[in-house]
Amino acid sequence: MSEPMVKADHVRKHFGPLQVLKRVSLEVARQEVVCMIGPSGSGKSTFLRCVNHLEKIDGGRLYVDGELVGYRQKDSKVYELRESEIAGKRAEIGMVFQRFNLFPHMTALGNVIEAPIRVKRIGKRDAISQGRGLLQRVGLEDKIDEYPARLSGGQQQRVAIARALAMQPKLMLFDEVTSALDPELVKEVLDVMRALAREGMTMIVVTHEMGFARDVGDRVVFMDDGAIVEEGPAKDLIDNPKEERTKRFLGLVLEH
């Protein structure tokens, strides 16, 4: 068996007295799509931010592609990596947020090529060629020279996905990427994510879109109160949850 792309081993995280992650253990295989569902405040987004070391964990171990996230182990001791090393590792993980976080003073293409040029030191001509291809891949070849203010929310989110893909990540994290969008714009973003899943991208997706989770997810993880309550094959868990908390949550979500 090949090593999982993500391995969380009893991960703990607290903000002051509030324990947000309570000994969370989870593995994500290469090319697997894992959808995380659960009520707001259950720890899903915090877990994603820990995978990318945007948040430091307070206990346990977290590995991406076989390496500790944010730390190096020597003998039995663990040392935090330097900020430059952390940035290098973070560049291998694509993350798309609920808010698009695009640079308003840059065109769609400018947003996509910025990191490859600055972080990966790719030549501008190559970055532009690659950026055009990525914008075409997310259906925005006609918006290359538009600024974010002139794009719809769905188009901005697709630029954000293209920007993440420009770094050629080994893992993609999606944090509620459709929740700020008008309903009619949700499908265009989910369709891009479906295509990525078909191409074999390893993905962890925090979402309230149960149809997407059921159809695209290989596995669904239900979190509540900082812990994993239930996980299993996507269709099985959504159609036939076993735990009462999962049933209650899905009952509320699927009614709407």
Side-chain angles (χ1 to χ4, degrees), residues 14-201:
H14 51 76
F15 297 113
L18 181 66
Q19 195 160 7
V20 187
L21 296 176
K22 302 174 180 175
R23 299 176 70 81
V24 171
S25 293
L26 178 69
E27 291 191 4
V28 179
R30 292 165 196 279
Q31 300 192 319
E32 186 177 25
V33 178
V34 170
C35 292
M36 303 188 85
I37 65 171
S40 296
S42 58
K44 310 178 302 294
S45 295
T46 300
F47 179 76
L48 276 200
R49 292 175 66 83
C50 288
V51 171
N52 213 7
H53 204 60
L54 291 171
E55 300 286 355
K56 295 179 190 176
I57 64 175
D58 296 313
R61 292 278 194 274
L62 188 51
Y63 302 86
V64 170
D65 200 14
E67 295 185 5
L68 274 174
V69 173
Y71 299 90
R72 176 184 293 109
Q73 185 162 350
K74 192 173 181 188
D75 301 324
S76 59
K77 289 192 173 163
V78 170
Y79 303 90
E80 189 161 12
L81 297 178
R82 292 194 303 273
E83 196 53 49
S84 59
E85 294 175 288
I86 290 169
K89 295 294 178 192
R90 193 178 286 143
E92 300 175 344
I93 303 172
M95 187 157 184
V96 186
F97 300 87
Q98 181 176 346
R99 296 285 168 192
F100 325 122
N101 297 346
L102 298 179
F103 297 117
H105 61 289
M106 293 183 181
T107 64
L109 183 62
N111 269 277
V112 172
I113 67 174
E114 175 75 358
I117 290 172
R118 283 183 179 269
V119 179
K120 293 188 111 176
R121 302 282 185 246
I122 290 175
K124 189 168 184 182
R125 183 180 293 179
D126 289 342
I128 288 172
S129 173
Q130 180 193 340
R132 285 178 176 276
L134 285 167
L135 286 167
Q136 185 171 9
R137 188 168 160 191
V138 299
L140 292 174
E141 59 268 34
D142 58 334
K143 303 291 184 186
I144 281 173
D145 297 320
E146 295 285 5
Y147 288 88
R150 292 178 55 86
L151 299 173
S152 71
Q155 289 168 336
Q156 289 185 61
Q157 197 59 293
R158 284 186 282 156
V159 173
I161 293 172
R163 179 177 62 180
L165 292 173
M167 295 297 284
Q168 299 178 322
K170 57 177 78 167
L171 167 68
M172 284 287 285
L173 309 174
F174 294 91
D175 188 13
E176 297 278 15
V177 295
T178 58
S179 59
L181 300 179
D182 293 332
E184 67 270 19
L185 302 177
V186 168
K187 182 180 181 299
E188 64 191 53
V189 174
L190 292 181
D191 282 349
V192 171
M193 294 165 65
R194 286 176 202 273
L196 280 179
R198 281 196 299 271
E199 291 163 17
M201 175 64 76

